[in-house]
């Protein structure tokens, strides 16, 4: 049922232009940013996060300027939700949505998002925080290499390097180390292209 609801939001965004996409976006984002409207049940929050992720994947009729504005607003909204979400499944859904929107953001990762991700990356022993953060960064970096460009993304590199090192020595952290290695390599490749 949640998948069908998210697909409805995506269909509305795909069929419409800027105004229609804005209406669908505001409806979902409003439920996440307004404390009075924010769903109390974690399953409902997952549905809202899934709808936000679907909106990121749709909207080809939306102008480039509007798409950039949506991306910046969504990243701000989802960063707060990701940082404050305590329930494991809802946090993973928030991470997926944040990764989808970071992939569309023009330029490097915004500082508040980088700070929220850094907090998750530093706590390497808490896999429920670490894995979603790494997955969303990998998703964003694959779609938009500029997201790991200079700026606030530089602050992520020491934590990522520590994860690479831990992954090389501890078999239980190999997956996290591999994702971190990919991110460091992607950032280095972006630096080489800019030089």
């Amino acid at each position: 049922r949640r998948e069908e609801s998210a697909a409805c939001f995506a269909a509305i965004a795909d069929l419409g232009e800027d105004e229609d996409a804005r209406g669908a976006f505001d409806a979902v984002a409003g439920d996440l940013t307004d404390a009075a409207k924010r769903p109390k049940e974690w399953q409902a929050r997952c549905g809202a996060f899934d709808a936000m992720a679907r909106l990121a994947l749709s909207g080809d009729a939306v102008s480039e300027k509007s798409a950039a504005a949506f991306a910046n607003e969504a990243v701000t909204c989802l960063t707060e939700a990701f940082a404050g979400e305590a329930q494991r499944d809802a946090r993973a859904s928030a991470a997926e949505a944040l990764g989808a929107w970071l992939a569309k953001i023009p330029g490097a990762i915004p500082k508040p998002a980088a700070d929220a991700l850094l907090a998750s990356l530093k706590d390497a022993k808490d896999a429920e925080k670490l894995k979603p953060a790494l997955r969303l960064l990998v998703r964003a970096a694959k779609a938009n290499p500029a997201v790991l460009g200079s700026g606030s993304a530089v602050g992520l590199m020491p934590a990522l390097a520590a994860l690479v090192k831990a992954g090389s020595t501890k078999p239980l952290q190999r997956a996290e180390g591999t994702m971190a290695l990919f991110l460091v390599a992607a950032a280095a490749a972006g630096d080489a292209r800019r030089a």
Side-chain angles (χ1 to χ4, degrees):
R1 186 183 296 168
R2 182 174 38 190
E3 192 67 27
E4 291 170 1
S5 297
C8 288
F9 280 100
I12 291 168
D14 279 340
L15 293 174
E17 293 183 1
D18 290 359
E19 300 84 29
D20 300 318
R22 171 54 71 186
F25 179 86
D26 287 344
V28 179
D31 286 348
L32 295 175
T33 56
D34 186 356
K37 290 182 180 179
R38 188 169 183 153
K40 303 285 185 249
E41 300 83 22
W42 68 267
Q43 295 97 333
R45 290 193 306 275
C46 283
F49 296 138
D50 291 348
M52 283 293 280
R54 282 296 184 95
L55 289 173
L57 301 174
S58 59
D60 292 334
V62 175
S63 71
E64 196 172 310
K65 182 179 176 183
S66 291
F70 288 152
N72 286 318
E73 287 179 51
V75 166
T76 300
C77 163
L78 290 166
T79 295
E80 292 174 19
F82 174 76
E85 185 58 63
Q87 206 284 331
R88 178 179 50 104
D89 294 332
R91 185 176 178 87
S93 289
E96 184 176 332
L98 181 55
W101 281 103
L102 279 174
K104 292 190 140 203
I105 202 151
I109 187 171
K111 182 158 178 36
D115 292 344
L117 291 168
L118 183 59
S120 294
L121 294 176
K122 281 186 173 179
D123 193 3
K125 294 193 188 309
D126 189 353
E128 290 182 5
K129 289 184 178 180
L130 178 64
K131 284 185 180 183
L134 285 169
R135 285 185 185 123
L136 82 85
L137 279 169
V138 167
R139 178 180 185 172
K142 283 170 52 179
N144 178 11
V147 82
L148 291 176
S150 60
S152 52
V154 173
L156 299 174
M157 293 306 135
L160 291 171
L163 290 169
V164 171
K165 183 178 177 185
S168 69
T169 58
K170 298 175 184 171
L172 291 176
Q173 293 183 346
R174 291 257 161 80
E176 293 86 351
T178 303
M179 286 188 277
L181 180 61
F182 168 78
L183 293 166
V184 171
D191 291 343
R193 278 192 298 272
R194 284 187 291 279

